[in-house]
Amino acid sequence: MVEHLLAACYGLGVTDLLVETSGSRLPLLDGSAQPYVTAMMQAGMVRYQVGPRTAHLRRPLLVQSGTRFIAAFPASRLTINCFVQLPRIGPQYVSFVETAGAFVRDIARARTFGWVDLPSARQRLGLRFGLRKVTGRGQHGAFVYPARWRLTCEPCRHKVLDLVGDLALLGRPVGAELFAFRPGHDINLEFVRKLERALKE
């Protein structure tokens, strides 16, 4: 779940961080970026006089995969307009404008969801919240959400969280307005690669 940590870093403006872990991957914790946000805020942060400059997009950019896409347009700061279509829940839309405190308030607490091996999910993943089964897949698999939502349109907000985490791979803030239709890590990473090339032109 490295994207949750990266999203917390981007949302808080953290650009230098040493992370040590005893496992092969970062812990899922509660499935959101909030535990990382809390840990970093409690530890305290040192502000540099000069940090990474915002990377401003100069021209529109589009990445498409089937019916899914991410379109970006030049803007002074990061704005993400996200639309998702989810099993049994239907369409959700969230607009996130990067401002001081907006990530912590509106995005960081949104928890993950998706296909899991339901009988062992809570024990294997160490989930700290109940699961709500939505659709079955085979004998054991199911598409699940947190049983109770913390935020309105929480699944869509988590998609925004994931996209912010993937954007953090650029290593600097982004000035662009994004329209993300059914985003996921595969198309997010393709977009980040294309964005990186465009910023070098």
Side-chain angles (χ1 to χ4, degrees):
M1 296 298 165
V2 67
E3 68 273 12
H4 298 171
L5 172 60
L6 291 174
C9 290
Y10 191 107
L12 294 176
V14 174
T15 56
D16 291 274
L17 183 69
L18 174 65
V19 178
E20 295 181 355
T21 177
S22 59
S24 59
R25 59 183 179 178
L26 293 172
L28 178 63
L29 301 174
D30 73 347
S32 78
Q34 186 60 49
Y36 294 115
V37 167
T38 300
M40 284 188 276
M41 293 181 74
Q42 288 177 347
M45 292 171 275
V46 176
R47 295 201 175 273
Y48 296 137
Q49 290 184 347
V50 179
R53 293 186 177 181
T54 299
H56 290 285
L57 189 64
R58 295 186 179 91
R59 58 179 175 79
L61 197 65
L62 174 66
V63 171
Q64 191 169 4
S65 177
T67 59
R68 304 160 63 211
F69 68 84
I70 299 176
F73 300 88
S76 59
R77 60 185 174 187
L78 179 64
T79 299
I80 298 176
N81 303 284
C82 182
F83 177 90
V84 295
Q85 179 78 27
L86 301 167
R88 297 285 180 91
I89 288 180
Q92 289 188 347
Y93 169 79
V94 167
S95 182
F96 165 69
V97 180
E98 182 186 23
T99 59
F103 177 82
V104 175
R105 181 184 66 246
D106 301 329
I107 303 299
R109 295 185 297 133
R111 294 162 295 176
T112 192
F113 62 94
W115 291 104
V116 299
D117 179 14
L118 197 60
S120 64
R122 286 182 61 86
Q123 180 178 2
R124 179 170 55 86
L125 299 177
L127 297 181
R128 299 179 183 179
F129 53 87
L131 298 175
R132 173 174 36 158
K133 180 178 177 181
V134 177
T135 58
R137 184 176 71 171
Q139 185 176 0
H140 301 295
F143 198 92
V144 296
Y145 302 99
R148 295 182 181 180
W149 290 358
R150 292 174 171 171
L151 303 159
T152 57
C153 296
E154 184 174 352
C156 190
R157 291 179 191 274
H158 189 82
K159 285 292 188 180
V160 173
L161 187 157
D162 284 344
L163 181 51
V164 170
D166 291 332
L167 284 171
L169 294 171
L170 283 171
R172 51 183 172 154
V174 180
E177 182 166 12
L178 276 55
F179 293 85
F181 181 75
R182 296 175 58 212
H185 288 301
D186 54 346
I187 194 170
N188 292 355
L189 294 176
E190 184 181 351
F191 172 77
V192 169
R193 293 187 191 102
K194 190 168 184 178
L195 176 59
E196 186 175 29
R197 291 194 296 269
L199 292 171
K200 293 178 179 178
E201 294 176 357

